[in-house]
């Protein structure tokens, strides 16, 4: 999974809108509150409108607001609106990968990674992020972190002097 600046900015703007819900917020206020380049944010807000996550009102009293409550909009909704697929492999959705020979099992790994990420982002609502956040580990079982490359090399040198 890769989180682009566009997606990061979209999430931050959506959290500001969630904190203002149901009030309207001007795009300039959203941009300034999160240090997002205003012209870039306007394009992002257009994507969020197309995905029916925000709507806008024109005029002096206008601005942007969420189309649903913060409890009903997930991180996954925002990711899909701004990035399309949640996880990609060489620019393609994880489900589209296929390999031959010894790499044949790799497709299953990519699909499993996609499923795990999707499970987390589709459960995490804007309200969760504004409140106490996700349960410990995001509700996903604890996995030991992989050793760093240096730690692995050091252990190999110690095992094979």
């Amino acid at each position: 999974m890769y989180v682009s600046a566009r997606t990061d900015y979209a999430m931050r703007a959506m959290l500001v809108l969630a904190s203002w819900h149901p009030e309207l917020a001007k795009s300039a206020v959203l941009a300034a509150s999160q240090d997002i380049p205003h012209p870039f944010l306007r394009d992002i807000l257009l994507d969020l409108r197309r995905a029916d996550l925000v709507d806008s009102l024109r005029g002096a009293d206008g601005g942007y607001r969420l189309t649903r409550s913060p409890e009903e909009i997930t991180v996954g909704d925002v990711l899909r609106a701004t990035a399309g697929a949640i996880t990609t492999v060489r620019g393609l959705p994880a489900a589209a990968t296929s390999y031959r020979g010894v790499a044949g099992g790799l497709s299953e790994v990519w699909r499993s990674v996609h499923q795990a990420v999707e499970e987390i982002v589709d459960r995490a609502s804007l309200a969760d992020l504004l409140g106490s956040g996700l349960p410990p580990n995001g509700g996903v079982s604890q996995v030991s972190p992989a050793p760093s490359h240096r730690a692995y090399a050091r252990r190999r040198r110690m095992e094979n002097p």
Side-chain angles (χ1 to χ4, degrees):
M1 175 180 164
Y2 171 75
V3 178
S4 66
R6 181 180 201 81
T7 300
D8 181 54
Y9 290 160
M11 279 304 310
R12 291 163 44 197
M14 290 294 283
L15 287 168
V16 173
L17 289 173
S19 71
W20 283 49
H21 186 73
E23 302 297 320
L24 292 165
K26 299 209 177 286
S27 62
V29 171
L30 293 172
S33 72
Q34 292 297 308
D35 295 322
I36 301 170
H38 190 229
F40 196 31
L41 180 61
R42 282 195 304 252
D43 290 342
I44 293 167
L45 289 167
L46 185 58
D47 286 343
L48 296 171
R49 276 187 49 210
R50 286 183 186 130
D52 197 33
L53 296 176
V54 301
D55 64 5
S56 62
L57 233 58
R58 294 180 126 185
D61 295 328
Y64 291 86
R65 66 178 166 215
L66 301 179
T67 57
R68 302 182 302 241
S69 73
E71 292 81 14
E72 298 177 74
I73 299 175
T74 67
V75 173
D77 294 330
V78 179
L79 287 171
R80 288 182 191 92
T82 58
I86 289 180
T87 54
T88 60
V89 177
R90 295 173 299 157
L92 299 171
T97 61
S98 77
Y99 301 93
R100 294 180 290 192
V102 296
L106 199 49
S107 293
E108 185 176 336
V109 171
W110 298 148
R111 285 191 288 278
S112 294
V113 167
H114 173 78
Q115 184 177 6
V117 170
E118 201 169 56
E119 179 183 320
I120 294 168
V121 299
D122 285 342
R123 195 169 22 97
S125 71
L126 297 178
D128 291 331
L129 296 175
L130 288 177
S132 61
L134 294 175
N137 303 321
V140 175
S141 61
Q142 181 69 29
V143 176
S144 298
S148 70
H149 175 69
R150 286 186 179 150
Y152 177 76
R154 187 174 32 243
R155 187 172 52 232
R156 294 283 292 165
R157 280 194 306 273
M158 290 170 49
E159 290 172 357
N160 302 315

